[in-house]
Amino acid sequence: MGNLRRVPVGIVGASGYGGVQLIRLFMDHPDVEVVYVGGDSSAGKAFGDIYPHMAHTVNLKVEAVDVDAIASRCEVVFLSVPNGLACQLAPKLLEKGCKVLDLSADYRFRNLTTYTNWYGKERNDAETAATAVYGLPELYRDRIAESQLVGCPGCYPTASLLALSPLLKQGLIVPESAIIDAKSGTSGGGRDAKMNMLLAEADNSLAAYNVGRHRHTPEIEQICSELAGHEVTVQFTPHLVPMVRGILATVYANLRDPGLVRDDLITIYRAFYRNSPWVKICEAGVCPQTKWACGSNVCYIGIEVDPRTGRVIVMSVIDNLIKGQAGQAIQCMNIMMGWEETLGLPKLGFYP
Amino acid sequence: MGNLRRVPVGIVGASGYGGVQLIRLFMDHPDVEVVYVGGDSSAGKAFGDIYPHMAHTVNLKVEAVDVDAIASRCEVVFLSVPNGLACQLAPKLLEKGCKVLDLSADYRFRNLTTYTNWYGKERNDAETAATAVYGLPELYRDRIAESQLVGCPGCYPTASLLALSPLLKQGLIVPESAIIDAKSGTSGGGRDAKMNMLLAEADNSLAAYNVGRHRHTPEIEQICSELAGHEVTVQFTPHLVPMVRGILATVYANLRDPGLVRDDLITIYRAFYRNSPWVKICEAGVCPQTKWACGSNVCYIGIEVDPRTGRVIVMSVIDNLIKGQAGQAIQCMNIMMGWEETLGLPKLGFYP
Amino acid sequence: MGNLRRVPVGIVGASGYGGVQLIRLFMDHPDVEVVYVGGDSSAGKAFGDIYPHMAHTVNLKVEAVDVDAIASRCEVVFLSVPNGLACQLAPKLLEKGCKVLDLSADYRFRNLTTYTNWYGKERNDAETAATAVYGLPELYRDRIAESQLVGCPGCYPTASLLALSPLLKQGLIVPESAIIDAKSGTSGGGRDAKMNMLLAEADNSLAAYNVGRHRHTPEIEQICSELAGHEVTVQFTPHLVPMVRGILATVYANLRDPGLVRDDLITIYRAFYRNSPWVKICEAGVCPQTKWACGSNVCYIGIEVDPRTGRVIVMSVIDNLIKGQAGQAIQCMNIMMGWEETLGLPKLGFYP
Amino acid sequence: MGNLRRVPVGIVGASGYGGVQLIRLFMDHPDVEVVYVGGDSSAGKAFGDIYPHMAHTVNLKVEAVDVDAIASRCEVVFLSVPNGLACQLAPKLLEKGCKVLDLSADYRFRNLTTYTNWYGKERNDAETAATAVYGLPELYRDRIAESQLVGCPGCYPTASLLALSPLLKQGLIVPESAIIDAKSGTSGGGRDAKMNMLLAEADNSLAAYNVGRHRHTPEIEQICSELAGHEVTVQFTPHLVPMVRGILATVYANLRDPGLVRDDLITIYRAFYRNSPWVKICEAGVCPQTKWACGSNVCYIGIEVDPRTGRVIVMSVIDNLIKGQAGQAIQCMNIMMGWEETLGLPKLGFYP
């Protein structure tokens, strides 16, 4: 299909949800071949032992994490590892000429002090980190195209920033008034056995968590500040919802111009995302459902203006594991490789 | 237990979720006997035909709605009927000496113009409506005690107002900054066959609805205005969550005094609700789960202060069908009858 | 991609779950173009008004059902309509030269008396019905290849028959001992607003229904009888499970030869399905999860033998809306057109 | 209510689901006071730290497990501990005069070899075990009344045996034809963090597990054999369903007398359970929902006869944590104490 050869890609951390999404998504990518999957606890296992339903289509063995081996075989490497590990692997892989896309938090921050404050880990790779680009293509497409190292956004920041960016960029809202009430399915917590994530505990229930102190807050604020042109503090509250996949960010902000109506904002959003094939602005009056986005790389955005309060309410939904994680990373890779950013990514899941 | 006789009670609208909760709750009430259940479409049926699992414990037949018959047999009547019907029944029942508790929206508004604006129905029972008390005992215990007609609050307003009242009453927040991001299980939509409420549609998904125009907004604003001492407009956004029961209201507001810390507010809330046995203020750092409240009449409230933004975030959870509907109505009845307001109501559901 | 032109296809009954699956699946099919979608209640609507999340990718308008118009534009027509309607449309479409795939029950029965007994409708298209082939490719691949009219199997029969066929065909079990305990997500009930299918009713719960009298019983028995070479009666019990998609059929039967062990049967199944790319036999000891199959056309089969009881237990999982409905219909069409039967169909959904 | 004093009760293993049900259920029991709760990992914690929503109603501290201390304070002791621990505690507690109800598997077996074969643990308390009574009151009410040690049934055996007992006791079926296809919510797996029990893994999915080798099989067979009067082997297959609470056992068996019709069997079941207040036989044609039983100690049984196959199909639903565990244990205690067996137990949960 076009390219003479498939680009050899490696994935470190293949057994978690990030890894399995990457492998599944690459099955439909015409120009990529996964030639390496690596892991610690799962090294030596066939991938089909970890995910039995994939045994008939994925013939990969999880290998130990050996930077030399990876670099010798892979042109592009995805790091789907716990925070604090990517920053040990990335410098070496870059040095050996790989392009690196990190799905952890390690390369999301311009200011490593922020990282250290929120993630509690000292960093000694400042030089590498300075070259990293924040992997939200709708905002940083050009920089991503030229980068060797992309720090892919968190799932909450993706939904939140796609909702907020047009407002901040155009100066339409009072930045400090922004409140993000975000709701996520429990797959965001990963494939780790945690008591509070058991179906018996989390089903039929709903709660906020980490109020005022979730680690995605500084990531959101960093980009908001850049868009606003000054330091911005936002309110961010995550909630766990009894479903597997999907994030809805309901974003509130005070409009500077009380005369703006919903249709104005829909027009502005459509213009802002004109060249962003993965963002869809809903018709007036439509509230997006998280399920619409599940199984696809699409972000659906619904917009309301409440003339009684002078606020705009923006609703943004994504599949937290695709546009919020693995799909977005592949979208970034597409851009780094000079391909169409839609290449090989799912446009639509199955409904219902 | 004490009383020589049980008070005879009637329920109009027995087949919906409001009705079945009332009947179930009264099974455990020591001083009440349900002597009449009425309905239109279900008239003539045994209650056990509508809810087969209750056949062995509930021996009631649904009767036609006949005001004279009801009044002759019942001392207290609960109206669990669609909006616009209660205002036809209540005046007659009151005239015949019944105490009336209305679970619909008909008697929640001091200003009937507000009702007509939001519910689209003209009213000609202004005199009766003027005697109605808003059935939120935590705020209006004394008035309820002396009333013959109680307009029981909606489920969202109950969760929202219990979260906001201490802040507004004590003047701790800028009232106009209040934002209520509310999330509900789908039983709030009632037992009507609606396509969007099918499990196949609503499960695994999440969305806002009626943004900026949900009918519970004026109800919340009416009480907030009374507490603040001036007209207050609030932002209220409801969401549907893939679970059966439970509401979480996440409430945001700007603190007037930036020096207030979380422990101050916990102290203030505990004092405010000192005599309210159904409101429990969580320990510092605890976010309440909706499941905690399910099957009980309890409202759990968690409080956070974000010193970075100067905001308070209050999380309030209830069982939408008990404290948000039938349980609260019984709590009001208890007060009207001069009983303990906890009488016969469940303190705790089953976990998990 | 290969073919010079895409085959023009029509779908009658586009707004239900069968229709939306067909449209979604055809988006990924390289050799088909959907040129017509028809419906009664939805005629005149844009497809994106019925399923808003698809508005950006599907640019189709629902048209009235006009056989002449359909036949003039479509080479192949899928009927996704209520039982009893397909038998009115199919004869005319066939006469005009269309190939027809019916997703309803109308063309599943060799003996129309059986149809009339179970579906309560007289038929006067016996001649047409006699030409229909039962659309289970794993059993009737050759006949499907030569047919103009395919009666696509029900969802339960698909899962049940794929589990039972090797046993019956090889004479390994006592046919009358077969018991099928089947469990389905609620999307099997379609997109009709039914009270018992509300999330508030069906979530957190589980029950059997139509025990001993579900309409899929005669369909299963017809094929079992053909495989066994004599009339076979089976026990079939469907259950509703609180999830959207997926069917698990747990099948029990007494082995004729008590010496057979699990590995023998795995070998036999693998041989039986050697040329069936959509059936995957699990490794010994693995019980398939319905979620594995969701979003794909795959049927996973797990096999156990209980030497204590002399029974075989076969577990078969499918996505009820894909392999159990629309995907299987496309698989049949692929065969009718002389294409690979895997063409354009999803091999794997997203996990988790 | 009547008794001059409340019986002092102790619970060993208070932090798991069995423990929390016992504590919750005893809150409504008029004649019992929980005076001791013990645990290993949770010793020293307030119970409200483990289950925060109960902090306002339960004022208990988890204590270390000290047999002397327990025996000196408790008249009755419930053991809600892992298999293999109860058999170390029970002999000492019995010796000191306590009545003991064990919720684990340790005292369910008449033949300790069976226990050792299935649970892999040698036993040296044969003398004590010989005095244990199997705690299914509907079958062994009289023996329970006189016992000091009750081995409470597993959740699956409770549902299965209540479905099968009348058939076996009256000789109505061919015992070896019995097949139990059982489905359970995931709370049956306990409050342990296991990867496969995560909501992200278990939701939207369904599968069988431990086919042909679940440990509840010998327990079911032991009682079936006693009822049948000879050794009986049954087929038992458990499934995990994406819900929190509830078990449905769908039981199949061949009728000896093909002339028996559904109404005959309903009559026979009603007679069999005439004195069993916790078993409710559904009207003809009604399939019980697991949700009906949740939050109560009731077992609902629905019965069908399929004249085509000569089989009876019995559907039995319980709340796995109440009638399947803690509620049944209290029912046994009520009998041991000479009280009404319904005392203090919930007759009905909340619906929906």
Side-chain angles (χ1 to χ4, degrees):
Chain A
M1 281 172 196
N3 281 33
L4 291 177
R5 56 158 206 125
R6 290 176 170 242
V7 172
V9 158
I11 300 167
V12 184
S15 63
Y17 290 148
V20 73
Q21 304 307 308
L22 285 169
I23 288 173
R24 170 61 189 82
L25 286 165
F26 278 132
M27 284 174 52
D28 293 333
H29 199 292
D31 291 347
V32 164
E33 185 181 10
V34 177
V35 299
Y36 165 89
V37 298
D40 277 336
S41 56
S42 54
K45 285 190 189 171
F47 194 75
D49 290 343
I50 306 172
Y51 291 99
H53 69 298
M54 296 175 72
H56 66 288
T57 45
V58 177
N59 188 13
L60 288 167
K61 196 168 181 171
V62 182
E63 303 180 46
V65 181
D66 173 332
V67 171
D68 287 329
I70 299 170
S72 71
R73 287 153 58 189
C74 305
E75 192 171 327
V76 182
V77 182
F78 291 79
L79 304 177
S80 182
V81 293
N83 300 320
L85 281 188
C87 59
Q88 295 170 30
L89 296 169
K92 301 174 200 163
L93 289 164
L94 289 163
E95 197 185 332
K96 291 174 189 294
C98 297
K99 292 181 196 291
V100 176
L101 296 108
D102 175 25
L103 278 65
S104 84
D106 286 9
Y107 291 105
R108 295 176 187 163
F109 294 93
R110 306 233 163 85
N111 184 340
L112 286 185
T113 309
T114 307
Y115 175 87
T116 300
N117 287 346
W118 287 79
Y119 289 84
K121 188 184 154 74
E122 295 293 334
R123 291 281 291 273
N124 48 24
D125 59 333
E127 226 169 300
T128 302
T131 71
V133 173
Y134 190 71
L136 192 61
E138 287 72 17
L139 296 181
Y140 303 110
R141 196 170 277 115
D142 296 346
R143 293 189 217 165
I144 293 166
E146 295 172 7
S147 72
Q148 302 298 308
L149 172 60
V150 168
C152 296
C155 51
Y156 285 126
T158 297
S160 304
L161 291 168
L162 292 176
L164 270 171
S165 293
L167 300 172
L168 287 166
K169 183 77 173 185
Q170 315 285 13
L172 300 174
I173 58 166
V174 182
E176 286 69 26
S177 70
I179 292 178
I180 302 160
D181 189 283
K183 299 97 176 165
S184 175
T186 68
S187 64
R191 210 189 193 201
D192 301 319
K194 296 173 201 149
M195 198 262 282
N196 67 318
M197 294 297 202
L198 291 173
L199 189 146
E201 294 285 315
D203 201 19
N204 309 339
S205 201
L206 174 73
Y209 66 103
N210 289 356
V211 181
R213 57 195 163 77
H214 192 280
R215 288 168 166 185
H216 283 172
T217 309
E219 192 180 327
I220 296 169
E221 290 179 345
Q222 168 183 270
I223 309 302
C224 287
S225 299
E226 183 168 311
L227 291 166
H230 64 275
E231 282 296 306
V232 170
T233 304
V234 302
Q235 195 72 51
F236 170 68
T237 310
H239 298 74
L240 271 187
V241 175
M243 61 186 191
V244 177
R245 297 171 87 112
I247 284 180
L248 164 63
T250 310
V251 178
Y252 302 86
N254 296 337
L255 287 169
R256 283 193 201 279
D257 174 356
L260 279 176
V261 298
R262 184 170 67 185
D263 283 348
D264 298 334
L265 286 169
I266 290 178
T267 302
I268 290 167
Y269 270 72
R270 290 202 166 136
F272 190 89
Y273 288 118
R274 185 176 295 131
N275 298 315
S276 290
W278 291 116
V279 179
K280 306 294 175 190
I281 310 302
C282 296
E283 297 295 317
V286 173
C287 295
Q289 297 270 346
T290 56
K291 185 151 62 172
W292 294 356
C294 284
S296 86
N297 198 49
V298 177
C299 173
Y300 291 90
I301 292 178
I303 302 164
E304 292 287 341
V305 169
D306 189 340
R308 300 166 62 262
T309 62
R311 285 201 193 87
V312 58
I313 301 105
V314 186
M315 296 150 281
S316 162
V317 304
I318 59 169
D319 183 324
N320 58 311
L321 300 178
I322 301 186
K323 181 59 178 168
Q325 191 183 37
Q328 182 151 268
I330 294 175
Q331 185 184 352
C332 288
M333 178 193 167
N334 284 344
I335 295 169
M336 292 164 87
M337 302 303 294
W339 301 333
E340 287 291 319
E341 74 188 81
T342 52
L343 193 67
L345 287 169
K347 286 191 181 61
L348 206 53
F350 286 93
Y351 187 94
Chain B
M1 262 188 193
N3 280 32
L4 291 177
R5 56 160 206 124
R6 289 176 170 244
V7 171
V9 158
I11 299 168
V12 185
S15 63
Y17 289 148
V20 72
Q21 303 307 306
L22 285 169
I23 288 172
R24 170 63 188 79
L25 287 165
F26 278 133
M27 284 174 52
D28 294 333
H29 199 291
D31 291 348
V32 164
E33 185 181 9
V34 177
V35 298
Y36 165 89
V37 298
D40 277 335
S41 57
S42 55
K45 285 190 188 170
F47 194 75
D49 290 342
I50 307 172
Y51 291 100
H53 68 298
M54 295 174 76
H56 65 290
T57 45
V58 177
N59 188 13
L60 288 166
K61 197 168 180 171
V62 182
E63 304 180 45
V65 181
D66 173 332
V67 171
D68 287 330
I70 300 171
S72 72
R73 286 152 58 189
C74 305
E75 193 172 327
V76 183
V77 181
F78 291 79
L79 303 177
S80 182
V81 293
N83 300 321
L85 280 189
C87 59
Q88 295 171 28
L89 295 169
K92 300 175 199 161
L93 290 164
L94 289 164
E95 197 186 329
K96 290 173 189 294
C98 297
K99 291 180 197 290
V100 175
L101 296 107
D102 175 25
L103 278 65
S104 84
D106 286 8
Y107 291 106
R108 295 176 186 162
F109 294 93
R110 305 234 162 85
N111 185 340
L112 286 186
T113 308
T114 308
Y115 176 87
T116 299
N117 286 346
W118 287 80
Y119 288 84
K121 189 185 154 72
E122 295 293 334
R123 290 283 289 274
N124 49 23
D125 60 333
E127 225 169 301
T128 302
T131 70
V133 173
Y134 190 71
L136 193 60
E138 286 73 17
L139 295 181
Y140 302 109
R141 198 170 276 116
D142 295 346
R143 293 190 216 165
I144 293 166
E146 295 172 7
S147 71
Q148 301 298 311
L149 172 59
V150 168
C152 296
C155 51
Y156 284 125
T158 297
S160 304
L161 292 168
L162 292 177
L164 271 171
S165 294
L167 299 171
L168 287 166
K169 182 79 173 184
Q170 315 285 11
L172 300 174
I173 58 166
V174 182
E176 287 68 26
S177 70
I179 292 178
I180 302 161
D181 190 283
K183 300 97 176 165
S184 176
T186 67
S187 63
R191 210 188 195 201
D192 301 318
K194 295 173 201 148
M195 197 262 280
N196 68 319
M197 293 297 201
L198 291 173
L199 189 146
E201 294 284 315
D203 201 20
N204 309 339
S205 201
L206 174 73
Y209 66 104
N210 289 356
V211 180
R213 55 193 163 80
H214 192 281
R215 288 169 167 185
H216 283 172
T217 309
E219 192 181 329
I220 297 169
E221 290 179 344
Q222 168 183 268
I223 309 301
C224 286
S225 299
E226 182 167 313
L227 291 166
H230 65 275
E231 282 296 307
V232 171
T233 304
V234 302
Q235 195 72 52
F236 170 68
T237 310
H239 297 75
L240 271 188
V241 175
M243 62 185 190
V244 177
R245 298 171 88 110
I247 284 180
L248 165 63
T250 311
V251 178
Y252 302 86
N254 295 338
L255 288 169
R256 284 194 201 280
D257 174 356
L260 279 176
V261 299
R262 182 170 67 183
D263 283 349
D264 298 333
L265 285 168
I266 290 177
T267 303
I268 290 166
Y269 270 71
R270 290 200 166 139
F272 189 89
Y273 288 118
R274 184 177 295 131
N275 298 315
S276 291
W278 291 116
V279 179
K280 306 295 174 189
I281 310 302
C282 296
E283 297 295 316
V286 173
C287 295
Q289 298 269 347
T290 56
K291 186 150 63 171
W292 294 357
C294 285
S296 86
N297 198 50
V298 175
C299 173
Y300 291 91
I301 293 178
I303 301 163
E304 291 288 342
V305 169
D306 189 340
R308 299 166 62 261
T309 63
R311 284 201 194 86
V312 58
I313 301 105
V314 187
M315 296 150 279
S316 162
V317 305
I318 59 169
D319 183 323
N320 57 311
L321 299 178
I322 301 186
K323 181 60 179 167
Q325 191 182 37
Q328 182 151 268
I330 296 176
Q331 185 184 353
C332 288
M333 178 193 168
N334 285 342
I335 295 169
M336 292 164 87
M337 301 303 293
W339 301 334
E340 287 291 319
E341 74 187 79
T342 53
L343 192 68
L345 287 167
K347 286 192 180 62
L348 207 53
F350 286 93
Y351 188 93
Chain C
M1 277 170 200
N3 281 33
L4 292 177
R5 56 157 207 129
R6 289 175 171 244
V7 172
V9 159
I11 300 167
V12 185
S15 62
Y17 289 149
V20 73
Q21 303 308 308
L22 285 169
I23 289 173
R24 171 62 189 80
L25 286 165
F26 278 132
M27 285 175 51
D28 294 334
H29 198 292
D31 291 348
V32 164
E33 184 181 9
V34 177
V35 299
Y36 165 88
V37 298
D40 278 335
S41 58
S42 55
K45 285 191 189 171
F47 194 75
D49 290 343
I50 306 172
Y51 291 100
H53 69 297
M54 296 175 73
H56 67 288
T57 44
V58 177
N59 189 14
L60 288 166
K61 196 169 180 171
V62 183
E63 303 180 46
V65 181
D66 173 333
V67 169
D68 288 329
I70 299 170
S72 72
R73 285 151 61 188
C74 304
E75 192 170 329
V76 183
V77 182
F78 292 78
L79 303 178
S80 182
V81 294
N83 300 321
L85 281 187
C87 58
Q88 296 171 29
L89 295 169
K92 301 176 199 161
L93 289 165
L94 289 163
E95 195 185 332
K96 291 173 188 294
C98 297
K99 292 180 197 291
V100 175
L101 297 107
D102 175 25
L103 278 65
S104 84
D106 285 9
Y107 291 105
R108 294 176 188 163
F109 294 92
R110 306 238 161 82
N111 185 340
L112 286 185
T113 308
T114 308
Y115 175 86
T116 299
N117 286 347
W118 288 80
Y119 289 84
K121 191 185 153 71
E122 295 293 335
R123 291 283 289 274
N124 49 25
D125 59 332
E127 225 169 302
T128 303
T131 71
V133 173
Y134 190 71
L136 192 61
E138 287 72 17
L139 295 182
Y140 302 109
R141 197 170 277 115
D142 295 345
R143 294 191 215 164
I144 292 166
E146 294 171 8
S147 71
Q148 301 297 309
L149 172 60
V150 169
C152 296
C155 49
Y156 284 125
T158 297
S160 303
L161 291 169
L162 292 176
L164 271 171
S165 294
L167 299 172
L168 287 166
K169 182 79 174 183
Q170 316 285 12
L172 300 174
I173 58 167
V174 182
E176 287 67 27
S177 71
I179 293 179
I180 302 161
D181 189 284
K183 300 96 176 167
S184 175
T186 68
S187 63
R191 210 188 195 203
D192 301 319
K194 296 173 202 148
M195 199 262 282
N196 68 318
M197 294 296 203
L198 291 173
L199 190 146
E201 294 285 317
D203 201 19
N204 309 340
S205 202
L206 174 73
Y209 66 104
N210 289 357
V211 180
R213 55 194 163 80
H214 192 281
R215 288 169 166 185
H216 283 172
T217 309
E219 191 181 328
I220 297 169
E221 290 179 344
Q222 167 183 269
I223 309 302
C224 287
S225 299
E226 182 168 313
L227 291 167
H230 65 275
E231 282 296 306
V232 171
T233 304
V234 301
Q235 195 72 51
F236 170 67
T237 310
H239 298 75
L240 270 188
V241 175
M243 61 185 192
V244 177
R245 297 171 88 111
I247 283 181
L248 164 63
T250 311
V251 178
Y252 302 85
N254 295 339
L255 287 168
R256 282 193 201 279
D257 175 355
L260 279 177
V261 298
R262 184 170 66 184
D263 282 348
D264 298 332
L265 286 168
I266 291 178
T267 302
I268 290 167
Y269 270 71
R270 289 201 167 137
F272 189 89
Y273 289 118
R274 185 178 294 130
N275 299 315
S276 291
W278 292 116
V279 179
K280 306 294 175 191
I281 310 304
C282 296
E283 297 295 317
V286 173
C287 295
Q289 298 270 345
T290 56
K291 185 150 65 170
W292 293 358
C294 284
S296 86
N297 198 51
V298 176
C299 173
Y300 291 91
I301 292 178
I303 301 163
E304 291 288 341
V305 169
D306 189 340
R308 299 166 62 262
T309 62
R311 284 201 193 86
V312 58
I313 301 108
V314 186
M315 297 151 280
S316 162
V317 304
I318 58 168
D319 183 325
N320 58 311
L321 300 177
I322 301 187
K323 182 60 178 166
Q325 189 182 38
Q328 182 151 268
I330 295 176
Q331 185 184 352
C332 288
M333 178 194 168
N334 284 343
I335 294 169
M336 291 163 88
M337 302 302 294
W339 301 334
E340 287 291 319
E341 74 187 81
T342 53
L343 193 68
L345 286 169
K347 285 191 181 62
L348 206 54
F350 286 94
Y351 188 93
Chain D
M1 259 186 203
N3 279 34
L4 290 176
R5 58 161 203 121
R6 289 174 170 245
V7 171
V9 158
I11 300 167
V12 185
S15 62
Y17 290 148
V20 73
Q21 303 308 307
L22 285 169
I23 288 173
R24 171 61 188 81
L25 286 165
F26 278 133
M27 284 174 51
D28 294 333
H29 199 292
D31 290 347
V32 163
E33 186 181 8
V34 176
V35 299
Y36 165 88
V37 297
D40 276 336
S41 58
S42 55
K45 285 191 190 171
F47 194 75
D49 289 344
I50 305 171
Y51 291 99
H53 68 298
M54 295 175 75
H56 66 289
T57 44
V58 177
N59 189 14
L60 289 166
K61 197 168 181 170
V62 182
E63 302 180 46
V65 180
D66 174 332
V67 170
D68 288 329
I70 299 171
S72 72
R73 286 152 59 188
C74 305
E75 192 171 327
V76 182
V77 181
F78 291 79
L79 303 177
S80 182
V81 293
N83 300 321
L85 280 188
C87 59
Q88 296 171 28
L89 295 169
K92 299 176 200 161
L93 289 164
L94 290 163
E95 195 185 331
K96 290 172 189 293
C98 296
K99 291 179 197 293
V100 175
L101 297 107
D102 175 24
L103 279 65
S104 83
D106 286 9
Y107 291 106
R108 295 176 186 162
F109 295 93
R110 305 234 162 85
N111 184 341
L112 286 185
T113 308
T114 308
Y115 176 87
T116 299
N117 287 347
W118 286 80
Y119 289 85
K121 191 184 152 72
E122 295 293 334
R123 291 282 290 274
N124 49 24
D125 59 333
E127 225 169 303
T128 302
T131 71
V133 173
Y134 190 70
L136 193 60
E138 286 73 17
L139 295 182
Y140 302 109
R141 198 170 277 117
D142 295 346
R143 294 190 215 165
I144 294 166
E146 295 172 6
S147 73
Q148 301 298 309
L149 172 60
V150 168
C152 296
C155 50
Y156 284 125
T158 297
S160 304
L161 291 169
L162 292 177
L164 271 171
S165 294
L167 299 172
L168 287 166
K169 182 78 174 183
Q170 317 284 14
L172 300 174
I173 58 168
V174 182
E176 287 67 27
S177 70
I179 292 179
I180 302 161
D181 190 282
K183 300 96 176 166
S184 175
T186 69
S187 63
R191 209 188 195 203
D192 300 319
K194 296 173 202 149
M195 199 263 281
N196 67 320
M197 293 297 202
L198 291 174
L199 189 146
E201 294 284 316
D203 202 19
N204 309 339
S205 202
L206 175 73
Y209 66 103
N210 289 357
V211 180
R213 56 194 162 80
H214 192 280
R215 288 169 166 185
H216 283 172
T217 308
E219 191 182 329
I220 297 169
E221 290 179 343
Q222 168 184 269
I223 309 301
C224 287
S225 299
E226 184 168 312
L227 291 167
H230 64 276
E231 281 297 305
V232 171
T233 304
V234 302
Q235 195 71 52
F236 170 67
T237 311
H239 298 75
L240 269 187
V241 175
M243 61 185 191
V244 178
R245 298 171 88 111
I247 283 181
L248 165 62
T250 310
V251 178
Y252 303 86
N254 295 338
L255 288 169
R256 283 193 200 278
D257 174 356
L260 279 177
V261 298
R262 184 170 66 183
D263 282 348
D264 299 333
L265 286 168
I266 290 178
T267 302
I268 290 167
Y269 271 70
R270 290 202 166 137
F272 189 88
Y273 289 119
R274 185 177 294 132
N275 298 314
S276 290
W278 292 115
V279 179
K280 307 293 174 191
I281 310 303
C282 296
E283 297 294 317
V286 173
C287 295
Q289 298 270 344
T290 57
K291 186 151 63 170
W292 294 357
C294 285
S296 86
N297 198 50
V298 176
C299 173
Y300 291 90
I301 292 178
I303 302 164
E304 292 288 342
V305 169
D306 189 340
R308 299 166 62 262
T309 62
R311 284 200 193 87
V312 58
I313 301 107
V314 187
M315 297 150 279
S316 161
V317 305
I318 58 168
D319 183 326
N320 58 312
L321 299 178
I322 300 186
K323 181 60 178 168
Q325 191 182 39
Q328 182 150 270
I330 295 175
Q331 184 184 352
C332 289
M333 179 193 167
N334 284 343
I335 294 169
M336 293 164 87
M337 301 302 294
W339 302 334
E340 287 290 320
E341 74 187 83
T342 53
L343 192 68
L345 287 168
K347 287 192 181 59
L348 206 55
F350 286 94
Y351 188 92

